[in-house]
Amino acid sequence: MEYTQLGRTGLKVGRLVLGTMNFGPQTDEATSHAIMDTALDAGLNFFDTANVYGQTAGKGRTEEIIGSWFAKDPSHRDKVVLATKMYGNMAEDAPAWPNHDKLSALNIRRAVEGSLKRLGTDRIDVYQFHHVDRSTPFEEIWQAVDVLIQQGKILYAGSSNFPGYKIAQANETAARRGMVGLVSEQCHYNLFERRAEMEVIPAAQEYGLGVIPWSPLGGGLLGGVIRKEVQGGRRAGGRTAERLADPKERARIQAYEDLLDKHGVDPGETALAWLLTRPGVTGPIIGPRTPEQLTGALRALDLELGEELLAGLDEIFPGPGPAPEAFAW
């Protein structure tokens, strides 16, 4: 496993991030434990979760599954860089009361305590804000974070789904307080969705944040979806099916799969490997439902994409271009 440094921290993390969103709703506890065992054995040491993950199995269930894995072998905790997120309402069956969601100092404190209990740990290595809270000033957010760092309950703070200007705002506010600020950003980034290249990734690079793309396979669109459909495999549903129903989108996906057939490479592995070639990217988040899916994702680490293939991918999925040049008429 190749390791890199997470932003401006001293944390060394693998080039893939184990996302745990499926633990609970789609993957039972025993299989989730097996996936984490396989990941750690392969050297994948950066685990990402969120307090709201679990959903149909119950909010917080995913964190509980990770906590039970730590409890089985406490030595695992010090081998893992553990990241979780907060923002959403954690009430199970009722609307949120005021201050039971978003980024108020009160909810940050409440959310940290809940996550620590479910995860069965005394600290969170990277504590992430799941979304922007336009109603809470960063001065208040950083005051709450500073207290938690002083208490040893979190080590670093990160963001998720932040636009470039909010990354700048957050870190300029932190700098005035003499704090490190955000050390990572989770953004929606894949071959289909490249808008992060305009502002988010340049802002992250400017402020020294690690970039952790989510949905690297575009909701399954980049994982060989047409090939699987033809072979009689699992059919796409939801938004993926809607995209496939659009003739223009389907033509792009078909061109993508044809290009990869020409080069003899797997679609899902290629989509991950492409992200690993992108400037500023620490590692994409993978969300395996089975140990076999994890093993397939790990193969992307050894896949080298030639210039001809990269040029072909850019032709099918052109990026927005750098700012400010891309804004010119």
Side-chain angles (χ1 to χ4, degrees):
M1 171 66 70
E2 179 185 353
Y3 292 89
T4 187
Q5 193 160 316
L6 178 62
R8 293 165 292 131
T9 75
L11 297 173
K12 303 299 187 295
V13 296
R15 295 304 311 280
L16 293 177
V17 179
L18 180 65
T20 62
M21 182 181 286
N22 291 316
F23 293 1
Q26 297 191 50
T27 306
D28 63 29
E29 183 167 335
T31 306
S32 300
H33 286 187
I35 290 172
M36 288 185 280
D37 287 338
T38 301
L40 203 59
D41 288 344
L44 199 160
N45 69 330
F46 193 3
F47 290 12
D48 175 72
T49 190
N51 60 356
V52 293
Y53 288 175
Q55 303 302 333
T56 56
K59 295 176 184 177
R61 179 58 184 146
T62 302
E63 288 186 330
E64 290 174 349
I65 289 173
I66 297 170
S68 65
W69 182 71
F70 286 145
K72 281 172 55 178
D73 185 345
S75 71
H76 285 158
R77 179 62 190 93
D78 287 333
K79 298 174 183 176
V80 167
V81 175
L82 179 63
T84 192
K85 298 182 284 291
M86 61 81 58
Y87 179 92
N89 167 27
M90 287 297 290
E92 287 293 340
D93 301 310
W97 281 76
N99 304 312
H100 275 66
D101 61 0
K102 301 183 179 160
L103 305 182
S104 70
L106 179 58
N107 194 48
I108 289 173
R109 176 178 177 177
R110 177 186 292 115
V112 166
E113 297 297 342
S115 286
L116 288 172
K117 182 177 180 180
R118 287 185 292 271
L119 290 163
T121 185
D122 63 348
R123 73 185 190 284
I124 295 162
D125 300 317
V126 185
Y127 196 57
Q128 302 159 113
F129 311 128
H130 214 152
H131 297 284
V132 168
D133 180 1
R134 295 182 177 88
S135 63
T136 303
F138 279 112
E139 287 82 1
E140 177 178 343
I141 293 169
W142 286 125
Q143 182 179 14
V145 168
D146 193 24
V147 170
L148 294 172
I149 291 173
Q150 295 300 321
Q151 292 174 337
K153 294 178 179 178
I154 69 174
L155 300 185
Y156 302 99
S159 58
S160 179
N161 304 308
F162 272 34
Y165 82 97
K166 282 294 181 182
I167 291 173
Q169 244 182 17
N171 274 28
E172 291 297 332
T173 305
R176 290 195 295 271
R177 295 178 57 87
M179 297 177 66
V180 170
L182 300 173
V183 302
S184 61
E185 160 61 18
Q186 284 192 27
C187 57
H188 190 194
Y189 186 33
N190 55 55
L191 278 163
F192 254 111
E193 178 51 76
R194 296 182 61 171
R195 286 177 292 179
E197 294 174 1
M198 289 285 281
E199 297 287 352
V200 174
I201 293 175
Q205 290 179 290
E206 184 70 22
Y207 284 97
L209 278 67
V211 175
I212 310 167
W214 59 267
S215 192
L217 303 189
L221 289 170
L222 298 168
V225 64
I226 295 178
R227 178 191 299 177
K228 294 173 183 175
E229 184 180 273
V230 171
Q231 293 173 348
R234 181 173 135 178
R235 295 183 65 85
R239 284 184 289 181
T240 302
E242 292 175 8
R243 297 284 289 273
L244 276 176
D246 182 326
K248 291 184 178 179
E249 295 285 43
R250 189 178 184 90
R252 292 175 77 196
I253 300 165
Q254 186 66 68
Y256 168 71
E257 294 189 16
D258 289 345
L259 175 67
L260 303 191
D261 283 342
K262 174 185 173 183
H263 287 268
V265 290
D266 177 81
E269 294 170 22
T270 301
L272 289 171
W274 177 82
L275 279 169
L276 292 170
T277 70
R278 299 298 90 191
V281 169
T282 297
I285 301 173
I286 57 174
R289 295 187 301 274
T290 66
E292 292 74 23
Q293 288 183 348
L294 172 59
T295 300
L298 288 168
R299 287 196 291 267
L301 295 170
D302 299 319
L303 182 59
E304 294 187 12
L305 306 183
E307 292 302 319
E308 181 184 350
L309 177 52
L310 288 170
L313 292 172
D314 276 336
E315 185 175 345
I316 298 168
F317 303 107
E325 292 85 355
F327 289 111
W329 289 3

